[in-house]
């Protein structure tokens, strides 16, 4: 627990940086999702998912090689569990891009992303409660459940009524 003013200021700045980082990430996700949807109309959702991850992986590979050259071979070392989780996460990445391309073409960008965010929030609420994200567990409270229900209502309102 932080008892002094300086500690609280640092914590608030830390939180603000996290919120700004999340907003910028959200803007990037929205932009990438829109691109995925458009590309999917040209080449199909599955090819979009695979090729976008191939391109992203190629860029990441080049950046990784640069970091290895700067930091040395030790930069490559990671525990086996980290590698397993990387394989799972990378595979999910292909499914995510494919799913975004597929669903946004059908539901629209706003409704599709709102629904994707709802899905993310459901998983995130569980992950927070279990402490899976690397921080201390955050309990599921009535206000958090109410926030999730409000988000679900927003998704309902965003879905086009055709």
């Amino acid at each position: 627990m932080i008892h002094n003013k300086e500690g609280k200021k640092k914590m608030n700045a830390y939180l603000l940086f996290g919120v700004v980082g999340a907003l910028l990430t959200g803007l990037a996700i929205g932009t990438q999702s829109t691109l995925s949807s458009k590309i999917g109309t040209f080449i199909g959702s599955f090819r979009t998912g695979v090729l976008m991850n191939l391109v992203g992986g190629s860029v990441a590979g080049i950046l990784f090689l640069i970091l290895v050259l700067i930091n040395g071979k030790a930069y490559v070392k990671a525990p086996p569990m980290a590698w397993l989780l990387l394989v799972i996460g990378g595979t999910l990445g292909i499914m995510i891009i494919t799913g975004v391309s597929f669903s946004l073409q059908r539901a629209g960008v706003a409704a599709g992303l709102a629904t994707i965010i709802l899905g993310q929030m459901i998983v995130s609420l569980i992950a927070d409660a279990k402490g899976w994200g690397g921080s201390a567990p955050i309990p599921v409270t009535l206000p958090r459940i109410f926030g999730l229900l409000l988000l679900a209502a927003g998704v309902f309102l965003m879905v086009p009524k055709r």
Side-chain angles (χ1 to χ4, degrees):
M1 183 160 231
I2 299 171
H3 295 288
N4 62 40
K5 243 183 183 179
E6 190 61 33
K8 286 182 181 180
K9 282 184 182 178
K10 285 182 182 178
M11 190 56 130
N12 287 341
Y14 185 77
L15 179 62
L16 179 63
F17 281 129
V19 169
V20 170
L23 177 62
L24 293 174
T25 302
L27 292 170
I29 290 169
T31 303
Q32 184 198 44
S33 298
T34 303
L35 293 172
S36 295
S37 181
K38 186 66 175 174
I39 295 165
T41 65
F42 298 134
I43 63 173
S45 298
F46 184 72
R47 275 202 307 170
T48 298
V50 172
L51 290 174
M52 191 168 289
N53 277 282
L54 176 67
V55 171
S58 299
V59 171
I62 291 167
L63 291 173
F64 187 74
L65 285 175
I66 292 168
L67 290 170
V68 168
L69 290 173
I70 292 169
N71 297 307
K73 289 181 184 178
Y75 195 76
V76 177
K77 292 183 181 177
M81 180 56 83
W83 285 106
L84 173 64
L85 295 175
L86 284 166
V87 169
I88 293 168
T91 303
L92 286 172
I94 295 169
M95 293 168 49
I96 290 165
I97 300 295
T98 301
V100 165
S101 176
F102 176 84
S103 60
L104 270 55
Q105 289 175 48
R106 288 152 180 84
V109 176
L113 277 176
T115 309
I116 288 167
I117 291 167
L118 176 61
Q120 290 174 329
M121 293 305 297
I122 291 168
V123 171
S124 299
L125 191 73
I126 296 166
D128 273 352
K130 299 290 187 183
W132 293 339
S135 62
I138 301 170
V140 177
T141 62
L142 223 47
R144 295 185 97 206
I145 291 171
F146 184 66
L148 198 58
L149 292 172
L150 275 175
L151 188 56
V155 167
F156 176 78
L157 294 173
M158 294 288 294
V159 174
K161 311 297 186 255
R162 295 182 185 155

